[in-house]
Amino acid sequence: MSHDDKNKENELELDHEYDGIKELDNPLPRWWLISFYGAIIFGICYFFYYVVGGAPTLRDEYNKEQEVHHAVRAEYLAKLGAFDVEHFEKIYTNESVIQYGESLYVANCMSCHADGGKGDIGPNLTDRFWLFSFGNPETVYPFILSGNPNGGMPSWSDKIEKEDIYAILAYVLNQQGKTYENAKQEEGNEFPPWKPGMRTEDYF
Amino acid sequence: MNKSTIGEMESFAYDDGITRKFVWATLVWGVVAMLLGVIIAFQLASWKVNLGLPWTTFGRLRPLHTNAAIFAFVGNGMFAGIYYSLQRLTKARMFNDTLSKIHFWGWQLIIVAAAITLPLGMTAGKEYAELEWPIDIAIAVVWVVFAVNFFGTLVRRREKHIYVAIWFYISTLITVAVLHIVNSISIPVSLMKSYSVYAGVQDALVQWWYGHNAVAFFLTTPILGLMYYFVPKAINRPVYSYRLSIIHFWSLVFIYIWAGPHHLLYTALPEWAQTVGMVFSVSLWAPSWGGMINGLLTLRGAWDRVRREPVLKFLATAITFYGMSTFEGPLLSIKSVNAMAHYTDWIVGHVHSGTIGWNYMLSAGMLYYMVPKLWKTDIYSVKLGNLQYWTATIGLILYIISMWVAGITQGSMWRAIDQETGMLVYPNFIETVVRIVPMYWVRAIGGTLVLLSFIIMFYNMVKTMQKNTSPLVDEAHKAVSFRAKKPEKEKGHRLLEGMPMVFSVLALLAILVGSIIEILPALMSSSYVKKDENIKPYSALELAGRDIYIREGCYVCHSQMIRPMADEALRYGKPSEAAESIYDHPFQWGSRRIGPDLARVAGKYRDIWHFRHMMDPRSTSPGSIMPAYPWLFKEKTDFGVLKKKLSVMNALGVPYTDEEIENAPNAAIEQAKAITQVLQESGVSESVHNKQIVALIAYLQRLGNY
């Protein structure tokens, strides 16, 4: 510290002292004062704008966000179109359809059919054994819609949009042949793997 | 004390024995608190570290870690520093040696009680206020003992004016008492079980008013007081600005108390209260930095010494981290930043840059200063001090950075919505867990380094103490009491500094303003929460399950509060409403999502899924880091106590009829049997209706289902 600084410090020194501790009386730094008052002024303006001034509430913002979001969903679902085999064959290898199907699978099916469809409470969906269908989209689709009236598989027709089942099916059929640790043992009858072009009558 | 006639030198001695005791307690509990922290850090990196035992699982040890770090480690350190500095700043011995001893041993007993009861699952279920009612009462009593001793010393002071360090101590004493008592009010069900008198949104507000101000008035103000004593003493230079002390003290104390609701942004708390919490938090930045400036600028001009001496190195680093975390805090309180950061590990990193960066570093600087003086010797090894410093700093930096990365990763993965399909990009929560596990390893390693650094200090301090050869007697000092001097003419704040009791009353008023304006409407007004007729109280069995949920500390990993955001609506369902938790004594909104939100988990899975998941989370959710709870399948539900539980709830205003209370055990058994039957249909062979797992399933299947 320079000599001048020392002199200045002596001028600022207050005459009191506690256990040898002295205090200077430096003025408050200007930038500090600006940020101090600045934050308080900001706070007052912000409070009045949001609480009294009629600014959109968090719920308003949420509702707007939901509106946009629902529009995106509706547009996407419209694009998927209605179920028919030929259309399914065109889209079922599409990555974004599969990914969309996976997210629906996770939300709706995974709690029984487990991760990837390896089976748990419900049967394994990755093998070639099927209990209630032939394992081709034409017979799996109506089963998902109706479920098993005797319990186990619920009916999904009023829970998931038909077009969404389409995407789930795309995901599930793409899981065929994948192997998982602790996969559930085979149940039902064995069917040949479905390939595009195969129709239900080919199974007889 | 040797009191001589007025006008003459009085001679007296400081009680340094009590300070030495508190120093020991700080060192011992510091190791314990950090060891617990390291254990739970590894538990998140690898679930196996939970050991499969009830008393070693994350949900029970995490509250023990936070209690040990805050109340045992920082608490004892604060007391050591206050007992040391208060006597010297007032030129008076502590008011009463017996009170000092009761304070010391009482506090240690409370810590031991916490260390026994928390792992046993005896918890009030409120974060940072988990201890059950008998311990809460003990805390209040010991705190009052401390306060009497403290204010008694002020009455007997020989120095007329109280120095800024003492202002901060006063604010701590008063505010902690108010916070602790108001937040802990509950009605006992049994010796170690009680229900908070507050419910839902009220409880959330009171709890975070308490929780945030525990940070403010237990981890910040007393430590600022210590800074104001030990920094100028250690560097032997005057404090930079007296004027700044005054302004930043009063603004800090007045503003801090309002900031609690920033823990509840986007929740069901009324929006005006959220906005108040946010703007006061932002306004806290400058007052906090006032303390930092005063600390750092006091060190100015002697940076070469800071580089050499461990005492100054720790103090300077502490102040720097204080500055960093008090900048980060206001930032995290801004709604849009909070939307991303809340419930993530970023918050955990933030807290640790405060507790390790500020509290630990400052305590270390203080101990390096005090221990040689208290034991009348020199420090054993400066080299070890430097080694400790670098180990701690590197550990802390690993900690903070890993938690930033983890927090921002979680926040962005949870919120990601595919712009084309309008669906979540990561619909399966577990993906977001698996992604950050590597960061949990880095954090655990960082934490281990911090623990190691503390053990180095422990060793260094013990060696220093052992160097002492002369007997430790309290030295005699002489001074003239201010009462014997001619009074000076004073005005303004200086006048106030000569009147500690008036000062204390003003400090009390300063914290009451914010407290009353924020909390009173929640307690008084029935319009605070919009009622919903559909929401019924929990059934007896669900209540039993809820108490298991609280006992196991599920709330430290799971929130029950869905925020109004598109991604949360997709993942968890519609936003939570305040009315949904009006019967929740205490509220369980949580503050962290290590696992998914559970506010609407009812019906998402079948009972059998929960049954298997609780037995072994990896069986239903590969990659999960949730602990297994095998004991819930062996321990029985206490149906008998349910009558008492329902009647306590009834006393708290939950509308149970007399018949429901009377019939509680039978109704619970009935419901348990119905659930058991469903489980048996899904292949469970044992009869489990009287086991705790069934009560827990009943509770989980009720969350969000009315």
Side-chain angles (χ1 to χ4, degrees):
Chain A
M1 187 176 299
S2 74
H3 194 70
D4 277 0
D5 279 354
K6 194 84 214 165
N7 276 344
K8 215 170 100 212
E9 200 168 294
N10 287 341
E11 270 167 41
L12 284 168
E13 197 162 285
L14 295 169
D15 57 359
H16 50 250
E17 171 259 317
Y18 306 88
D19 193 26
I21 300 174
K22 295 205 154 243
E23 290 174 287
L24 303 177
D25 201 19
N26 273 306
L28 306 172
R30 180 189 295 268
W31 65 267
W32 184 84
L33 276 174
I34 291 173
S35 57
F36 181 57
Y37 292 121
I40 292 173
I41 292 166
F42 162 79
I44 293 170
C45 298
Y46 186 95
F47 181 85
F48 279 98
Y49 179 55
Y50 277 94
V51 176
V52 196
T57 63
L58 294 179
R59 285 302 168 115
D60 295 340
E61 279 169 19
Y62 168 71
N63 291 338
K64 222 167 78 203
E65 192 185 30
Q66 286 298 79
E67 243 168 62
V68 174
H69 178 71
H70 287 149
V72 169
R73 295 262 302 134
E75 194 185 329
Y76 180 70
L77 293 177
K79 232 171 31 197
L80 274 182
F83 184 84
D84 78 71
V85 190
E86 274 149 42
H87 180 63
F88 179 77
E89 286 171 347
K90 269 186 232 133
I91 64 145
Y92 91 106
T93 48
N94 179 325
E95 262 319 310
S96 78
V97 172
I98 297 173
Q99 208 185 3
Y100 175 59
E102 179 177 7
S103 63
L104 290 162
Y105 174 86
V106 166
N108 297 289
C109 324
M110 196 171 80
S111 57
C112 284
H113 291 283
D115 183 29
K118 69 176 184 179
D120 180 28
I121 295 160
N124 187 331
L125 303 175
T126 64
D127 59 18
R128 281 194 256 142
F129 290 77
W130 298 89
L131 280 163
F132 303 103
S133 71
F134 300 158
N136 64 327
E138 282 170 285
T139 57
V140 178
Y141 178 76
F143 182 71
I144 299 177
L145 282 187
S146 64
N148 179 6
N150 301 323
M153 175 84 166
S155 157
W156 294 95
S157 57
D158 53 352
K159 296 192 191 93
I160 308 181
E161 313 252 353
K162 293 199 174 65
E163 295 85 349
D164 282 4
I165 293 179
Y166 218 96
I168 297 179
L169 201 53
Y171 168 70
V172 167
L173 289 182
N174 276 289
Q175 286 296 97
Q176 276 280 306
K178 298 220 169 123
T179 51
Y180 284 87
E181 240 177 82
N182 314 324
K184 199 172 183 189
Q185 83 285 2
E186 294 138 357
E187 291 168 285
N189 304 313
E190 190 175 5
F191 292 90
W194 176 78
K195 286 193 201 65
M198 272 171 88
R199 295 290 176 267
T200 305
E201 31 314 348
D202 301 333
Y203 287 83
F204 294 100
Chain B
M1 204 190 299
N2 185 353
K3 213 166 178 187
S4 36
T5 44
I6 288 200
E8 278 174 29
M9 280 286 181
E10 295 174 347
S11 82
F12 55 93
Y14 300 133
D15 181 4
D16 282 340
I18 190 69
T19 313
R20 281 189 287 268
K21 284 201 185 74
F22 276 116
V23 165
W24 266 108
T26 310
L27 288 169
V28 171
W29 293 123
V31 174
V32 173
M34 289 175 209
L35 179 64
L36 283 163
V38 168
I39 293 172
I40 60 174
F42 277 106
Q43 287 178 335
L44 290 188
S46 166
W47 60 273
K48 291 184 187 125
V49 185
N50 286 289
L51 304 179
L53 300 169
W55 44 87
T56 52
T57 40
F58 184 83
R60 296 194 190 184
L61 286 189
R62 193 256 197 184
L64 184 58
H65 162 64
T66 53
N67 276 278
I70 301 170
F71 301 109
F73 167 56
V74 179
N76 277 301
M78 168 211 314
F79 298 141
I82 291 180
Y83 274 80
Y84 185 87
S85 59
L86 177 70
Q87 302 187 72
R88 286 164 172 80
L89 289 170
T90 54
K91 293 212 174 73
R93 190 181 176 89
M94 287 308 297
F95 174 63
N96 182 307
D97 288 3
T98 311
L99 289 183
S100 302
K101 287 203 183 84
I102 296 176
H103 176 199
F104 177 79
W105 289 109
W107 197 256
Q108 310 316 314
L109 264 174
I110 287 165
I111 298 167
V112 171
I116 294 170
T117 55
L118 290 175
L120 289 177
M122 295 165 178
T123 169
K126 296 180 45 148
E127 272 184 277
Y128 312 109
E130 289 89 351
L131 299 174
E132 264 300 349
W133 66 274
I135 307 178
D136 277 342
I137 292 175
I139 294 173
V141 170
V142 172
W143 198 262
V144 169
V145 167
F146 175 39
V148 171
N149 208 12
F150 179 94
F151 286 108
T153 311
L154 286 186
V155 169
R156 295 223 187 134
R157 71 194 189 283
R158 293 193 175 75
E159 195 74 69
K160 176 164 187 196
H161 299 97
I162 51 172
Y163 174 58
V164 47
I166 299 178
W167 313 347
F168 279 102
Y169 302 159
I170 288 175
S171 71
T172 302
L173 260 148
I174 293 175
T175 316
V176 170
V178 174
L179 293 169
H180 172 71
I181 292 170
V182 173
N183 187 44
S184 303
I185 302 174
S186 60
I187 299 191
V189 173
S190 64
L191 183 62
M192 289 311 278
K193 174 79 198 165
S194 63
Y195 292 128
S196 171
V197 296
Y198 314 107
V201 65
Q202 284 176 353
D203 194 31
L205 187 61
V206 173
Q207 160 63 25
W208 284 114
W209 165 78
Y210 162 89
H212 183 71
N213 289 303
V215 173
F217 291 90
F218 208 94
L219 298 175
T220 306
T221 54
I223 316 302
L224 281 169
L226 298 178
M227 175 192 89
Y228 272 110
Y229 180 79
F230 288 100
V231 167
K233 287 296 281 184
I235 194 127
N236 197 17
R237 286 183 34 76
V239 171
Y240 175 70
S241 173
Y242 166 70
R243 249 182 277 178
L244 183 57
S245 301
I246 296 175
I247 303 266
H248 104 93
F249 169 79
W250 286 107
S251 52
L252 199 74
V253 168
F254 177 78
I255 296 177
Y256 237 128
I257 203 85
W258 295 78
H262 68 212
H263 291 258
L264 297 167
L265 298 181
Y266 290 97
T267 65
L269 182 73
E271 260 182 49
W272 70 265
Q274 298 184 31
T275 303
V276 168
M278 172 187 147
V279 300
F280 275 88
S281 304
V282 172
S283 309
L284 259 177
W285 169 47
S288 304
W289 272 30
M292 175 189 74
I293 296 169
N294 239 354
L296 285 182
L297 292 186
T298 302
L299 291 171
R300 176 189 61 156
W303 286 111
D304 51 320
R305 282 181 57 205
V306 173
R307 237 171 282 130
R308 279 196 318 272
E309 297 172 27
V311 175
L312 295 175
K313 211 182 256 187
F314 280 113
L315 293 177
T317 309
I319 299 168
T320 312
F321 273 106
Y322 176 64
M324 195 203 100
S325 37
T326 52
F327 175 72
E328 193 178 35
L331 180 73
L332 287 169
S333 307
I334 295 172
K335 281 183 191 156
S336 47
V337 179
N338 191 273
M340 162 92 175
H342 189 48
Y343 293 132
T344 75
D345 285 309
W346 185 352
I347 308 301
V348 180
H350 168 61
V351 168
H352 284 82
S353 62
T355 45
I356 301 174
W358 164 238
N359 294 114
Y360 165 42
M361 296 283 181
L362 200 121
S363 309
M366 178 180 88
L367 290 175
Y368 273 95
Y369 174 86
M370 240 176 13
V371 167
K373 293 201 166 44
L374 286 169
W375 271 266
K376 303 190 174 25
T377 167
D378 301 324
I379 200 76
Y380 168 71
S381 165
V382 171
K383 254 207 192 114
L384 278 181
N386 286 332
L387 179 67
Q388 176 201 349
Y389 174 80
W390 286 111
T391 318
T393 305
I394 292 168
L396 175 57
I397 288 173
L398 285 180
Y399 197 117
I400 295 176
I401 292 180
S402 59
M403 292 296 96
W404 273 337
V405 174
I408 291 169
T409 307
Q410 284 169 322
S412 41
M413 286 176 87
W414 293 344
R415 291 159 63 87
I417 295 180
D418 187 314
Q419 288 310 311
E420 196 200 333
T421 63
M423 293 295 277
L424 293 171
V425 178
Y426 306 100
N428 195 352
F429 190 87
I430 193 74
E431 287 178 79
T432 70
V433 177
V434 173
R435 185 73 70 88
I436 55 170
V437 166
M439 286 301 117
Y440 284 159
W441 282 105
V442 175
R443 185 261 302 270
I445 293 166
T448 307
L449 289 177
V450 174
L451 169 66
L452 282 178
S453 77
F454 199 88
I455 293 173
I456 295 173
M457 174 162 76
F458 191 100
Y459 177 79
N460 207 2
M461 290 299 150
V462 172
K463 282 293 194 189
T464 304
M465 296 171 190
Q466 285 172 352
K467 269 175 69 177
N468 162 279
T469 46
S470 53
L472 296 171
V473 281
D474 296 335
E475 274 167 41
H477 295 269
K478 280 191 191 326
V480 184
S481 169
F482 71 89
R483 292 186 183 81
K485 296 179 193 162
K486 209 170 94 219
E488 306 157 36
K489 272 228 154 41
E490 290 159 345
K491 53 185 199 306
H493 202 265
R494 187 80 188 141
L495 183 66
L496 194 57
E497 289 161 29
M499 303 188 285
M501 299 306 144
V502 178
F503 190 101
S504 304
V505 171
L506 288 180
L508 176 66
L509 291 177
I511 61 134
L512 284 183
V513 174
S515 306
I516 290 171
I517 295 181
E518 241 172 40
I519 294 179
L520 221 53
L523 303 185
M524 307 301 273
S525 153
S526 55
S527 66
Y528 204 74
V529 174
K530 215 163 69 219
K531 282 254 159 40
D532 180 342
E533 291 304 323
N534 293 322
I535 292 169
K536 299 277 179 301
Y538 295 102
S539 76
L541 187 69
E542 288 156 8
L543 190 62
R546 185 167 198 275
D547 284 337
I548 295 166
Y549 184 92
I550 291 172
R551 181 189 74 197
E552 299 304 338
C554 308
Y555 64 88
V556 304
C557 284
H558 291 287
S559 59
Q560 288 187 22
M561 175 45 64
I562 303 167
R563 299 177 295 173
M565 297 170 185
D567 60 295
E568 301 219 349
L570 279 171
R571 196 182 292 280
Y572 304 120
K574 68 180 175 40
S576 297
E577 303 289 347
E580 292 177 89
S581 46
I582 50 170
Y583 301 129
D584 283 11
H585 296 270
F587 83 118
Q588 290 290 292
W589 293 1
S591 63
R592 179 116 178 260
R593 285 183 184 152
I594 297 173
D597 188 278
L598 298 180
R600 302 198 189 287
V601 78
K604 176 170 177 187
Y605 302 108
R606 302 202 304 168
D607 293 352
I608 184 72
W609 189 94
H610 291 295
F611 189 83
R612 294 194 195 156
H613 182 247
M614 297 306 296
M615 178 64 101
D616 174 12
R618 265 64 52 194
S619 72
T620 51
S621 316
S624 178
I625 58 171
M626 176 163 144
Y629 291 89
W631 57 92
L632 299 181
F633 296 75
K634 295 197 203 90
E635 284 173 25
K636 293 194 177 135
T637 306
D638 184 352
F639 292 112
V641 74
L642 289 173
K643 225 195 252 183
K644 181 81 199 274
K645 285 185 171 174
L646 261 67
S647 71
V648 170
M649 283 292 185
N650 194 43
L652 291 172
V654 181
Y656 289 116
T657 61
D658 289 349
E659 198 191 318
E660 280 170 324
I661 296 172
E662 202 46 47
N663 196 34
N666 289 333
I669 292 173
E670 208 120 296
Q671 193 184 354
K673 287 202 168 136
I675 293 173
T676 307
Q677 193 175 353
V678 174
L679 286 172
Q680 283 169 338
E681 278 161 17
S682 319
V684 172
S685 52
E686 321 91 275
S687 169
V688 287
H689 81 274
N690 58 355
K691 300 297 186 309
Q692 295 183 348
I693 180 66
V694 172
L696 184 62
I697 291 175
Y699 173 62
L700 292 171
Q701 296 292 35
R702 158 64 200 273
L703 287 174
N705 178 19
Y706 303 104

